[in-house]
Amino acid sequence: MRGLGFSPRVNVKRFTGPPHPDRDKQFQYLRRQRRRFQKAGCPTVSVDAKKKELVGDFRNAGRKWSRRAEEVNAHDFPQDAECRAAPYGIYDTVRNAGHVCVGVSAETAEFAVDALRQWWRARGKREYPGSKKIFIEADAGGSNGYRRRLWKRELQRWADADGLEITVSHYPTGASKWNPVEHRLFGPISINWAGQPLRSLGVMLGFIRGTRTRTGLRVTARLNNRSYATKIRVTNDEMSQINIHSHQTCPQWNYTIKPKLRR
C-alpha cells in the first residue's frame, strides 16, 4: 500500500459551505476600520471565548518534557471536576498583549462584556489615556455574536458607565479562524500548557500568565467568580433604547454604540 502512495490519514476539515456574498467586502472593511482606529491612537482589540476546560486531574492534549508521565483520571467525567472554566480572551492588536478572564459560570454575553469592562478599567484606560473610543473585532456567533441582543445591551451599559464610544466589527460566519485572538493569544496559551493537567484554577491562571512568545507577547489573567444567569430575554423596548448606529457597509456586522445623553 505504501508503495502505491497510500498511508494512514485522518479527515481534514476544509469545507465551510458556500461563502457569504459580503465575505470579502467585510474583511476589507474590517481591515480599514482597524487601521483607522490604530492611526488615531485608539485601542483595537480582538475578542473571543476559548473552549471550556475541566479543572482537575484530567488529561490535557499535547506533550511536555518530564521524567515521568502525569497520572490523571481515566475518564473525563464533569462531576469529578473542581469546575468547568470558561476563558474569555482579549488581544490588544497594537501592543501585542493579551488578557484572559477566567469564569466559572455560564459563558454569556454579560460575562463577555464584564471581561472587556474589567480589562478596560484595569489596563486599557492606563495604556490609552484620554481615549474615548474603542474598536472590537469579534466572531459572528457565540456570546459576542452579532445577533445577541444581550451583547448589545451590555455594551450600551458599559458605554454609559465609562463614557466610551464602542465600535464593533464581526467576522463573517465561518471565518473565526482569521480572528487574531485565535492564533496570537489562544494558540500560544495552548502550547504553553500542552500536556499539563489543569489541576486547579491557580495552575490554570499560572500557565496563562506565563505565556510568552519570541515576538514579545505578554499575558495577564484574572479569575471571575461571579455567577451569570442564562436565557435572559432582552425586550424590544430595551433594544429601542440602545444608542446603536449601524454602518453603511454590511450593517448587520458593523455598528457603533455611543453613550446615551444624560438628562
Side-chain angles (χ1 to χ4, degrees):
M1 293 292 286
R2 292 187 185 278
L4 294 173
F6 289 86
S7 63
R9 299 179 184 273
V10 299
N11 297 157
V12 178
K13 291 183 178 181
R14 182 167 294 154
F15 306 129
T16 58
H20 194 283
D22 291 331
R23 177 188 172 99
D24 290 341
K25 182 192 296 185
Q26 176 62 6
F27 271 112
Q28 293 171 12
Y29 184 73
L30 193 153
R31 191 178 301 114
R32 290 197 302 270
Q33 286 282 87
R34 182 194 301 152
R35 289 174 179 170
R36 181 171 69 85
F37 275 84
Q38 289 178 348
K39 188 176 181 180
C42 299
T44 66
V45 297
S46 166
V47 303
D48 194 20
K50 197 179 189 300
K51 73 177 183 67
K52 289 188 174 182
E53 302 284 350
L54 287 177
V55 176
D57 292 323
F58 300 100
R59 176 182 177 274
N60 200 356
R63 297 182 295 178
K64 69 170 186 174
W65 288 92
S66 60
R67 286 191 169 87
R68 54 184 298 182
E70 296 271 3
E71 295 183 353
V72 296
N73 295 340
H75 303 284
D76 293 345
F77 294 138
Q79 62 265 29
D80 294 334
E82 176 186 327
C83 66
R84 197 175 181 91
Y88 190 86
I90 302 164
Y91 176 71
D92 187 329
T93 61
V94 176
R95 297 178 175 270
N96 189 27
H99 177 75
V100 179
C101 180
V102 178
V104 293
S105 180
E107 182 217 320
T108 67
E110 193 176 8
F111 165 66
V113 176
D114 263 356
L116 277 160
R117 185 187 294 112
Q118 290 169 9
W119 167 82
W120 172 252
R121 293 176 179 176
R123 297 187 58 183
K125 286 172 64 174
R126 183 177 68 253
E127 294 170 350
Y128 297 91
S131 179
K132 290 298 181 181
K133 296 182 179 181
I134 185 171
F135 177 63
I136 299 172
E137 303 176 32
D139 287 352
S143 57
N144 46 225
Y146 73 98
R147 295 179 184 271
R148 296 278 183 179
R149 287 187 167 197
L150 184 59
W151 162 254
K152 294 175 181 177
R153 190 194 74 178
E154 292 304 308
L155 285 178
Q156 180 68 71
R157 291 181 175 179
W158 178 28
D160 293 342
D162 288 3
L164 272 177
E165 186 175 299
I166 304 169
T167 297
V168 183
S169 285
H170 294 271
Y171 282 83
T173 303
S176 61
K177 67 178 182 179
W178 302 109
N179 195 345
V181 71
E182 294 289 348
H183 50 275
R184 294 188 181 179
L185 178 60
F186 289 149
I189 288 174
S190 296
I191 293 172
N192 194 47
W193 70 28
Q196 173 64 50
L198 305 176
R199 300 188 189 279
S200 68
L201 287 168
V203 169
M204 183 178 189
L205 290 167
F207 274 100
I208 295 173
R209 292 167 181 154
T211 301
R212 300 285 188 272
T213 65
R214 291 181 179 178
T215 57
L217 173 70
R218 294 294 183 268
V219 186
T220 58
R222 179 175 179 177
L223 179 64
N224 184 346
N225 284 314
R226 179 182 168 187
S227 180
Y228 292 89
T230 59
K231 300 179 181 179
I232 296 177
R233 184 173 179 271
V234 178
T235 65
N236 291 334
D237 182 57
E238 287 179 295
M239 287 299 297
S240 67
Q241 295 177 31
I242 296 177
N243 189 14
I244 186 169
H245 303 265
S246 299
H247 298 190
Q248 291 185 348
T249 303
C250 302
Q252 74 276 24
W253 290 330
N254 303 290
Y255 49 87
T256 298
I257 295 178
K258 299 181 179 181
K260 289 184 287 190
L261 296 176
R262 297 180 180 177
R263 297 179 179 177

